[in-house]
Amino acid sequence: EVQLLQSGGGLVQPGGSLRLSCGASGFTFSNHAMNWLRQTPGKGLEWVSSISGSGADTSYADSVRGRCSISRDNSKNTVDLQMNSLRVDDTAVYYCAKGSQWLRGGWLDPWGQGTLVSVSS
Amino acid sequence: EIVLSQSPATLSLSPGERASLSCRASQSIRIFLAWYQQRPGQAPRLLIYDASNRATGIPARFSGSGSGTDFTLTISSLEPEDFAVYYCQQRSAWPQTFGQGTKLEIK
């Protein structure tokens, strides 16, 4: 069974940093791009970042570019999202999701359980 | 950025009825559209990809249709577990984007 288990998240002050992690099992991890998305009541679902199966190609939404960094460890089947200079509007539930192909842009299936990031003073 | 507009925002139906949910794209996305279901407190789940292909394990009562700018998710006979929020997503152009969702509620 394909599973994604997220860790990290929590409460952080504006300007602070957080690292989200997602552990994968049940599939050949290096064969699939991995993605981070977030969800808020106001903005709905928003793609945040993607990384290719090898880790060589990464992409970011304009809203987080320069403040976030995605990385993966194919020996440990994990993908991380390092978030810096956090802002109040980064507050959201963050999900990792497996891509259906090696490069970015495939369908998202499955998703992790989600983790809440709350940015507040 | 491609904008996806879903309608209606809320759909009130009874178990056993047929549901039709709409997703309209701001420009042609060919068939590069997916549908996701999100139940309360859960992560989204892929139902349909490439407009009309059911994902693994998805019941046959779920079907998708459309191409270009207009797409439909149909649930042929609603089961109690189908009452949830449904999102469409496009991957035709980067960045991939989502619709704002349709809430399917019990009448």
Side-chain angles (χ1 to χ4, degrees):
Chain A
E1 181 189 3
V2 176
Q3 285 192 324
L4 300 175
L5 187 62
Q6 297 179 224
S7 60
L11 176 64
V12 63
Q13 291 188 333
S17 297
L18 270 180
R19 190 175 187 88
L20 306 182
S21 188
C22 175
S25 61
F27 64 100
T28 304
F29 186 67
S30 59
N31 284 357
H32 293 268
M34 294 297 294
N35 305 271
W36 287 97
L37 302 101
R38 64 188 182 184
Q39 185 174 31
T40 61
K43 283 186 150 183
L45 284 164
E46 179 187 14
W47 167 78
V48 174
S49 182
S50 297
I51 186 167
S52 65
S54 68
D57 296 302
T58 59
S59 51
Y60 301 91
D62 289 346
S63 57
V64 304
R65 187 174 292 113
R67 300 187 298 117
C68 289
S69 177
I70 190 172
S71 60
R72 66 189 294 159
D73 185 336
N74 286 349
S75 68
K76 296 181 180 178
N77 288 3
T78 58
V79 57
D80 292 348
L81 184 69
Q82 175 68 39
M83 300 187 293
N84 302 321
S85 303
L86 282 161
R87 309 190 299 223
V88 171
D89 63 358
D90 291 318
T91 296
V93 175
Y94 284 73
Y95 294 99
C96 65
K98 167 182 163 284
S100 60
Q101 59 191 38
W102 186 76
L103 284 174
R104 72 175 192 182
W107 303 120
L108 306 169
D109 180 46
W111 298 47
Q113 82 276 18
T115 188
L116 177 63
V117 171
S118 184
V119 185
S120 175
S121 55
Chain B
E1 178 173 303
I2 293 177
V3 176
L4 298 178
S5 300
Q6 293 188 240
S7 62
T10 304
L11 183 58
S12 300
L13 294 170
S14 300
E17 291 193 292
R18 180 185 186 90
S20 290
L21 287 66
S22 175
C23 178
R24 177 164 291 178
S26 59
Q27 63 190 72
S28 176
I29 56 171
R30 295 168 285 175
I31 61 164
F32 297 119
L33 186 100
W35 292 93
Y36 297 84
Q37 176 194 66
Q38 187 174 33
R39 294 171 176 150
Q42 295 185 15
R45 176 177 72 142
L46 179 67
L47 298 176
I48 302 287
Y49 64 93
D50 290 345
S52 62
N53 296 291
R54 274 190 303 277
T56 302
I58 301 304
R61 64 180 182 273
F62 291 91
S63 64
S65 63
S67 64
T69 60
D70 290 302
F71 300 86
T72 302
L73 173 69
T74 301
I75 310 171
S76 59
S77 179
L78 286 165
E79 298 287 339
E81 63 268 26
D82 298 337
F83 292 91
V85 180
Y86 292 83
Y87 295 95
C88 56
Q89 178 227 350
Q90 66 81 24
R91 70 175 186 95
S92 175
W94 207 252
Q96 54 190 307
T97 51
F98 293 82
Q100 79 281 16
T102 290
K103 181 179 181 181
L104 180 55
E105 65 176 24
I106 300 177
K107 187 173 181 180

